[in-house]
């Protein structure tokens, strides 16, 4: 199988994560941000991630990809899911883009390997984030908003090896978001969240993204 992806994409990392935890080989093809043609050639529109199955069939939607990979070999996502964790993921997502989107194009990521690709990203995001500099200047404000959410998350972590004690879809909800906010220089995760993050990233075998 092959995954067309962006390195900064949390939905892409969700798919990478389940494949890595199951030990299933996954070819990872990073698409440059301005290369819409490779996406439309496969599925008729611009979208990431795209999972190309061994027979050449493309698959969309990260949870569908997770479900497919989970059918290969023994199941590993056997733990319970808790609505509280999904709600915390939603709360993180209400804040995190204001911290992460202005930083992604400054990182040495493969999807931004050319100036054109980086500028393409900035133009795509301009409607939602018209002033990236202003957002970066408000980092302390947004980190202040995020801190109590991470505190609530810490209280819900059962084990650093699985948020609910056994691997579940909740781990695939939370870890990609922690990886994303990890790019923010000055972010201090509560100890329990930091332990969960480092332990799970080691299990996945993935380094964190650079900080800026």
């Amino acid at each position: 199988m092959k995954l067309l992806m962006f390195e900064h994409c949390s939905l892409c990392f969700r798919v990478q994560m389940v494949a890595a935890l199951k030990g299933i080989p996954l070819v990872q093809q990073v698409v440059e941000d301005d290369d819409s043609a490779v996406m439309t050639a496969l599925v008729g529109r611009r979208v990431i991630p795209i999972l190309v199955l061994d027979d050449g069939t493309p698959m969309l939607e990260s949870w569908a990809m997770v479900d497919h990979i989970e059918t290969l070999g023994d199941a590993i996502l056997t733990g319970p899911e808790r609505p509280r964790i999904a709600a915390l993921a939603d709360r993180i997502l209400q804040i995190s883009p204001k911290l992460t989107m202005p930083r992604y194009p400054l990182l040495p990521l493969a999807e931004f390997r050319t100036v054109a690709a980086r500028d393409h990203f900035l133009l795509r995001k301009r409607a939602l984030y018209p002033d990236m500099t202003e957002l970066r200047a408000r980092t302390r404000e947004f980190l202040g908003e995020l801190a109590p959410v991470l505190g609530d998350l810490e209280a819900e972590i059962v084990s650093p090896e699985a948020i609910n004690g056994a691997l579940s879809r909740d781990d695939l909800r939370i870890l990609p978001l922690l990886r994303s906010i990890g790019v923010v220089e000055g972010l201090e995760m509560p100890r329990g969240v930091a332990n969960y993050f480092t332990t799970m990233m080691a299990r996945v075998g993935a380094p964190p993204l650079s900080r800026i």
Side-chain angles (χ1 to χ4, degrees):
M1 293 183 294
K2 178 170 68 176
L3 182 69
L4 277 68
M5 54 172 281
F6 296 143
E7 288 184 342
H8 73 272
C9 167
S10 61
L11 300 182
C12 302
F13 186 72
R14 172 182 289 164
V15 181
Q16 295 172 269
M17 184 179 167
V18 69
L21 289 169
K22 288 179 69 78
I24 292 176
L26 184 65
V27 176
Q28 299 172 24
Q29 178 182 336
V30 178
V31 179
E32 293 186 18
D33 196 86
D34 60 339
D35 190 4
S36 300
V38 70
M39 308 174 216
T40 56
L42 280 170
V43 297
R45 61 188 174 100
R46 180 186 172 90
V47 61
I48 286 289
I50 303 171
L51 182 66
V52 182
L53 305 182
D54 290 337
D55 65 0
T57 302
M59 176 179 286
L60 300 177
E61 303 299 338
S62 65
W63 283 124
M65 299 175 197
V66 167
D67 290 341
H68 173 75
I69 293 172
E70 181 69 338
T71 66
L72 306 176
D74 295 334
I76 61 167
L77 303 177
T78 57
E81 294 180 69
R82 288 185 284 158
R84 175 71 173 159
I85 301 300
L88 282 165
D90 289 341
R91 289 173 63 195
I92 292 172
L93 279 169
Q94 290 174 10
I95 304 164
S96 60
K98 294 177 284 189
L99 289 161
T100 58
M101 288 298 173
R103 286 171 167 79
Y104 289 148
L106 302 180
L107 298 177
L109 301 176
E111 56 263 37
F112 306 133
R113 64 169 62 94
T114 68
V115 171
R118 181 176 291 107
D119 287 346
H120 190 270
F121 174 85
L122 293 171
L123 287 174
R124 284 198 304 112
K125 299 300 181 181
R126 180 175 288 176
L128 286 175
Y129 310 102
D131 192 335
M132 298 284 198
T133 302
E134 179 197 0
L135 290 176
R136 288 193 297 271
R138 296 172 63 188
T139 294
R140 290 182 187 273
E141 172 190 343
F142 300 140
L143 287 178
E145 295 175 6
L146 187 61
V149 184
L150 295 180
D152 290 346
L153 176 63
E154 181 182 34
E156 298 292 337
I157 295 175
V158 174
S159 165
E161 295 190 351
I163 201 164
N164 296 326
L167 286 174
S168 70
R169 289 163 70 99
D170 282 344
D171 293 292
L172 274 62
R173 288 187 174 93
I174 294 296
L175 188 66
L177 298 181
L178 296 180
R179 174 180 178 265
S180 293
I181 62 173
V183 305
V184 182
E185 187 68 46
L187 171 71
E188 294 185 7
M189 295 183 187
R191 179 174 297 179
V193 176
N195 287 344
Y196 170 78
F197 177 64
T198 56
T199 300
M200 286 297 298
M201 291 294 284
R203 289 189 71 181
V204 174
L209 296 170
S210 301
R211 291 168 68 91
I212 190 168

